Amino acid sequence: MLKTILQHIIPYSIRKRRFYINKLHGRENEEKNRRLVEEISRRNEVKVLFIASTLPMWRYQGVVDLMRQDPRFKVSIIIAPFSRYKLDEAERFVSELKSFFKSMGMGNIPSAIDSEMNIGEWLDTLNPDLIFYCQQYNNIYNNQLDYEHNIHRLLGHIPYGLITINAPFVYNTDFHNLAWRIYQASSLHLQTSKKVMGNDAINIRVVGEPNADRYLNKHLCRVWRDINDGSVRKRIIWAPHFSIPESGLLHRASFLWLFDGMVSLAKKYEDSVQFAFKPHPHLYNVLCERDDWGRERADKYYALWCDMANTQLEQGGFTELFMQSDGMIHDCGSFTGEYMFTQKPVIFATRDWNGVRKMADEFGRKCLDLHYVANQLSDIEDFIQNIVLRGKDSKMDERREFFNRYLLPPGGRSVAENVYNDIVQSLRLH
């Protein structure tokens, strides 16, 4: 009771600062980081470790490429699936990443689930100065790679998705406050960070969204399948989130009221629209665990999107898919911002629009305002008919303005260059 009263009396700006200084030992952490930077600046080589967990979350390739060309850096990568994954999932993610790194000419990258791997010994031998994480949560690996075991090193992070919500787990975890560097996508993200972070965002740098380098690349691989029947079709993505109504946490949960209707729309517009079903990676597991679905039903549903004449199932990356599309239907947080890079029309499916906007940060609210909104299937059909097929897109100019103001990387450089330059300058490697 007293704690609740004090929370109303004492401003959040004071409470967050006290927590950072007293509970997280923030001042001591800042001094530790300064000491490490001083030590590193006197060396000829900086050992940097990047942890990769899934291919869609891998945001560091451009930075890795630049560091590998610079003799001042010794770069290492390890593939470490999250501990919550089942073995078959973990093996699939490891296989995808190993194939990707080989395609980039980087050889066989080790993984935490390799039979001969002893993570503790491997990490002790490597002894990196700086570790970059793809997620900011506690105990995500349940081994020596977790940041809690590496707080004596410099820690870095680029968010694994474009942040659009204002919640402690995306802006103000212990990791956010203790890390040496966190690279954010826009000035709006920095603005929110300063308001909510206990350390007043002293470790935040604005570099742009890493995927911007790929969105701005005009030479993209073709990912939409060819349908050689003479019809010209618009391409629309349906990307449902994994959340379900009972959770009430993320205010999305459109899949359970759309899954039948979207199949019907795909069949109805067979001659004029090509659909890509791009579910959140976790949706399949959620459906398998539900009593009213289960693995067999989930498998059949996913297979249906592979088999219909004008549809395809997409479970990997999404940059090329987005850029080669004509519109999207979704209820995902990061896609709210990511799809803005395409400047194409997009509709958000939810029956709790006020809840969605309430959870959004300043960046997210601006993105949401550039969306059309659906709370029933007829809204989505109207989006298909009038906005995508007939081009009656009233928000087009606003999206272009937003793109130019907030999504182009600062400084006229690539995001990878911005990150690389900040590391070089901050470690005083000149």
Side-chain angles (χ1 to χ4, degrees):
M1 184 67 176
L2 179 59
K3 182 179 179 181
T4 304
I5 295 173
L6 289 174
Q7 286 179 343
H8 287 286
I9 296 175
I10 303 174
Y12 175 73
S13 59
I14 295 176
R15 287 188 282 118
K16 65 161 183 158
R17 189 65 182 167
R18 284 182 176 176
F19 180 81
Y20 170 69
I21 293 174
N22 298 329
K23 301 294 184 181
L24 296 182
H25 306 288
R27 296 274 171 77
E28 294 92 328
N29 184 72
E30 292 173 21
E31 179 57 35
K32 179 263 299 181
N33 286 339
R34 282 193 290 268
R35 186 178 66 254
L36 289 173
V37 168
E38 184 64 33
E39 293 174 1
I40 291 170
S41 68
R42 294 195 293 266
R43 297 195 214 136
N44 295 323
E45 183 180 74
V46 183
K47 292 180 285 186
V48 186
L49 171 62
F50 295 87
I51 305 177
S53 296
T54 73
L55 187 55
M57 290 185 184
W58 177 246
R59 293 292 203 268
Y60 294 106
Q61 190 59 45
V63 182
V64 167
D65 291 341
L66 291 172
M67 285 186 174
R68 291 178 71 205
Q69 298 169 21
D70 188 334
R72 292 172 296 184
F73 293 98
K74 180 179 180 181
V75 177
S76 300
I77 300 174
I78 188 167
I79 302 170
F82 302 126
S83 60
R84 69 176 183 271
Y85 290 152
K86 298 174 183 176
L87 181 59
D88 58 339
E89 285 183 290
E91 290 175 340
R92 175 166 64 86
F93 290 129
V94 167
S95 177
E96 288 177 351
L97 281 164
K98 281 182 177 283
S99 296
F100 169 77
F101 288 128
K102 284 181 180 178
S103 74
M104 300 301 292
M106 300 173 66
N108 187 29
I109 300 297
S111 89
I113 63 171
D114 290 344
S115 58
E116 71 279 7
M117 175 60 73
N118 182 310
I119 288 296
E121 292 181 1
W122 182 87
L123 191 61
D124 287 343
T125 301
L126 184 66
N127 193 25
D129 301 301
L130 170 59
I131 303 180
F132 275 99
Y133 288 84
C134 65
Q135 282 198 352
Q136 70 277 16
Y137 309 120
N138 296 345
N139 299 311
I140 54 176
Y141 301 114
N142 278 345
N143 58 39
Q144 292 302 115
L145 290 175
D146 286 320
Y147 87 84
E148 299 95 315
H149 300 292
N150 294 285
I151 204 68
H152 58 292
R153 314 178 197 273
L154 295 179
L155 306 179
H157 174 60
I158 295 176
Y160 58 87
L162 191 51
I163 298 173
T164 59
I165 63 174
N166 186 358
F169 68 89
V170 293
Y171 272 111
N172 195 34
T173 64
D174 292 357
F175 179 90
H176 283 108
N177 287 284
L178 296 175
W180 172 67
R181 278 290 181 274
I182 294 179
Y183 295 102
Q184 292 284 20
S186 75
S187 58
L188 294 174
H189 293 95
L190 175 60
Q191 177 181 313
T192 302
S193 298
K194 287 181 176 179
K195 290 179 181 178
V196 302
M197 289 180 65
N199 69 358
D200 297 328
I202 60 171
N203 55 352
I204 303 295
R205 300 293 183 272
V206 175
V207 296
E209 159 59 30
N211 272 349
D213 295 345
R214 299 181 64 191
Y215 286 120
L216 298 174
N217 179 7
K218 303 301 181 183
H219 306 287
L220 298 173
C221 298
R222 186 179 178 86
V223 294
W224 288 82
R225 72 181 183 89
D226 293 323
I227 304 176
N228 299 312
D229 61 0
S231 295
V232 178
R233 294 175 173 84
K234 294 290 187 179
R235 294 166 173 165
I236 298 178
I237 303 163
W238 176 37
H241 196 258
F242 70 84
S243 58
I244 55 177
E246 295 92 299
S247 69
L249 174 63
L250 296 176
H251 303 282
R252 299 167 193 160
S254 69
F255 178 81
L256 293 182
W257 58 269
L258 278 182
F259 70 91
D260 273 338
M262 287 304 301
V263 171
S264 299
L265 290 177
K267 293 177 178 178
K268 181 175 181 178
Y269 292 92
E270 179 178 327
D271 295 329
S272 56
V273 178
Q274 185 175 354
F275 288 90
F277 178 44
K278 181 72 178 72
H280 188 285
H282 194 47
L283 177 62
Y284 177 77
N285 288 331
V286 170
L287 294 176
C288 289
E289 293 169 0
R290 287 180 63 90
D291 293 337
D292 57 345
W293 272 79
R295 185 176 295 273
E296 182 178 355
R297 186 182 180 188
D299 285 341
K300 287 182 178 179
Y301 188 80
Y302 275 52
L304 179 61
W305 285 92
C306 297
D307 297 338
M308 286 187 284
N310 61 323
T311 64
Q312 62 195 69
L313 171 65
E314 294 291 332
Q315 299 191 81
F318 50 82
T319 306
E320 289 84 358
L321 187 75
F322 281 13
M323 292 302 292
Q324 296 164 18
S325 68
D326 297 294
M328 183 168 74
I329 304 152
H330 80 104
D331 59 351
C332 295
S334 63
F335 285 3
T336 300
E338 290 264 2
Y339 200 70
M340 291 295 111
F341 280 98
T342 72
Q343 303 177 56
K344 306 289 181 61
V346 56
I347 189 167
F348 199 102
T350 179
R351 287 176 169 167
D352 186 10
W353 181 243
N354 290 333
V356 170
R357 291 197 89 260
K358 185 177 180 180
M359 283 196 69
D361 59 10
E362 187 63 27
F363 179 85
R365 281 191 292 273
K366 288 185 180 295
C367 292
L368 288 168
D369 290 342
L370 299 174
H371 280 62
Y372 299 94
V373 185
N375 59 31
Q376 55 191 350
L377 188 66
S378 61
D379 295 327
I380 291 176
E381 184 164 17
D382 180 73
F383 173 78
I384 294 170
Q385 280 186 349
N386 293 309
I387 298 171
V388 177
L389 292 177
R390 295 174 185 164
K392 297 179 179 180
D393 182 7
S394 61
K395 296 179 181 289
M396 179 174 60
D397 291 340
E398 294 176 76
R399 291 195 305 272
R400 288 176 178 171
E401 182 182 349
F402 178 84
F403 171 84
N404 290 324
R405 183 172 182 181
Y406 295 111
L407 294 181
L408 288 175
R413 294 177 293 271
S414 72
V415 178
E417 288 175 310
N418 285 336
V419 174
Y420 168 80
N421 289 340
D422 178 74
I423 293 172
V424 169
Q425 294 168 10
S426 298
L427 295 179
R428 305 198 295 275
L429 299 183
H430 295 295

